[in-house]
């Protein structure tokens, strides 16, 4: 097959799937070596982005998925009368951050860091498919372990967990603060910057 035909075939596979497709599956289907498949996928990703098409190709760990371009989210919602998903609350953002950075981890560990019971919030994040159970800790009581999901990566526009920013410093009271968009606020670094600007 010529390169243009390979690109069209890859595009067809991704479109038909509607779910993330592993690179290996594309290699097998089109009898391609991994380097060629990844080159084609990267070219498609760049094309959709550069040409400002209505869809984007996302890499999620070792899988690829076609999705709508985020700038057209409001138009898509209006077309299908989809309600805008509710924003995550402050407690939900805190729990999600702890699990993202310390996964796999237990609810007891999350509770210990936050100083409050996180059972309800963990259930909410599971319902939203942002976290999932991934086994049990081999200690008395065998508590559940939690980790983030592929939906978490998609929601926060991450290719993999390696794209998470460095662990932020904690504020003076030992707490990490997040605003509604998930940005860190009130960290030690920010306080230092404010103090130096005041002096």
């Amino acid at each position: 097959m010529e390169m243009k035909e390979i690109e069209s075939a890859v595009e067809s596979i991704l479109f038909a799937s509607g779910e993330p497709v592993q690179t290996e599956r594309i290699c097998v289907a089109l009898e391609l070596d991994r380097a060629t498949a990844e080159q084609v996928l990267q070219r498609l990703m760049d094309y959709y982005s550069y040409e400002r098409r209505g869809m984007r190709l996302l890499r999620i760990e070792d899988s690829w998925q076609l999705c709508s371009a985020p700038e057209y989210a409001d138009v898509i919602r209006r077309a299908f009368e989809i309600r805008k998903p509710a924003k995550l609350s402050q407690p939900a953002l805190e729990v999600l951050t702890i699990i993202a950075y310390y996964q796999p981890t237990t609810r007891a560990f999350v509770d210990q860091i936050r100083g409050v019971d996180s059972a309800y919030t963990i259930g909410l994040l599971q319902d939203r498919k942002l976290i999932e159970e991934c086994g049990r800790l081999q200690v008395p009581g065998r508590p559940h372990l939690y980790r983030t999901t592929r939906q978490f990566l998609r929601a926060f526009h991450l290719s993999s967990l390696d794209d998470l920013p460095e662990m932020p410093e904690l504020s003076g009271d030992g707490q990490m603060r997040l605003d509604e968009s998930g940005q860190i606020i009130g960290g030690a670094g920010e306080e230092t910057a404010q103090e130096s600007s005041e002096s």
Side-chain angles (χ1 to χ4, degrees):
M1 277 194 279
E2 294 182 3
M3 187 58 76
K4 194 71 180 171
E5 194 177 354
I6 293 172
E7 286 181 6
S8 296
V10 169
E11 196 173 42
S12 298
I13 291 169
L14 293 167
F15 181 80
S17 169
E19 296 288 332
V21 180
Q22 289 190 331
T23 309
E24 189 60 34
R25 186 174 289 259
I26 293 169
C27 291
V28 170
L30 298 177
E31 299 178 353
L32 298 174
D33 61 85
R34 190 177 186 86
T36 303
E38 290 190 342
Q39 178 188 354
V40 169
L41 287 158
Q42 188 62 53
R43 282 177 52 159
L44 283 172
M45 177 189 276
D46 294 342
Y47 168 74
Y48 295 135
S49 181
Y50 181 76
E51 294 291 332
R52 298 182 60 80
R53 306 296 299 175
M55 57 186 172
R56 296 285 185 270
L57 180 56
L58 294 181
R59 182 171 196 157
I60 306 170
E61 295 177 328
D62 191 39
S63 298
W64 301 77
Q65 182 173 11
L66 281 176
C67 65
S68 57
E71 56 265 35
Y72 299 116
D74 289 337
V75 175
I76 293 166
R77 283 191 198 99
R78 285 199 298 273
F80 296 104
E81 298 181 351
I82 300 170
R83 287 188 309 167
K84 192 170 184 178
K87 288 185 177 178
L88 290 174
S89 65
Q90 180 76 20
L93 285 170
E94 289 174 2
V95 171
L96 191 55
T97 300
I98 294 165
I99 292 173
Y101 280 97
Y102 292 101
Q103 63 185 302
T105 191
T106 62
R107 194 192 98 196
F109 182 78
V110 174
D111 292 350
Q112 181 182 350
I113 290 179
R114 295 186 66 231
V116 294
D117 189 316
S118 304
Y120 172 79
T121 309
I122 284 178
L124 178 73
L125 292 171
Q126 284 183 286
D127 290 343
R128 291 262 193 110
K129 310 245 184 287
L130 294 172
I131 63 170
E132 64 186 2
E133 290 180 9
C134 61
R136 290 179 178 268
L137 193 62
Q138 297 303 314
V139 297
R142 303 193 61 223
H144 289 286
L145 288 166
Y146 298 95
R147 66 182 176 198
T148 54
T149 63
R150 283 187 173 180
Q151 179 62 29
F152 164 80
L153 295 176
R154 280 191 60 189
F156 288 89
H157 307 288
L158 302 171
S159 295
S160 73
L161 293 173
D162 294 335
D163 292 341
L164 282 170
E166 284 188 32
M167 174 63 85
E169 294 182 41
L170 300 178
S171 63
D173 63 359
Q175 295 294 311
M176 187 186 321
R177 309 274 186 225
L178 302 173
D179 64 21
E180 288 185 357
S181 65
Q183 298 297 312
I184 309 297
I185 58 174
E190 184 177 308
E191 289 174 359
T192 305
Q194 288 174 349
E195 287 167 8
S196 59
S197 65
E198 290 170 3
S199 54

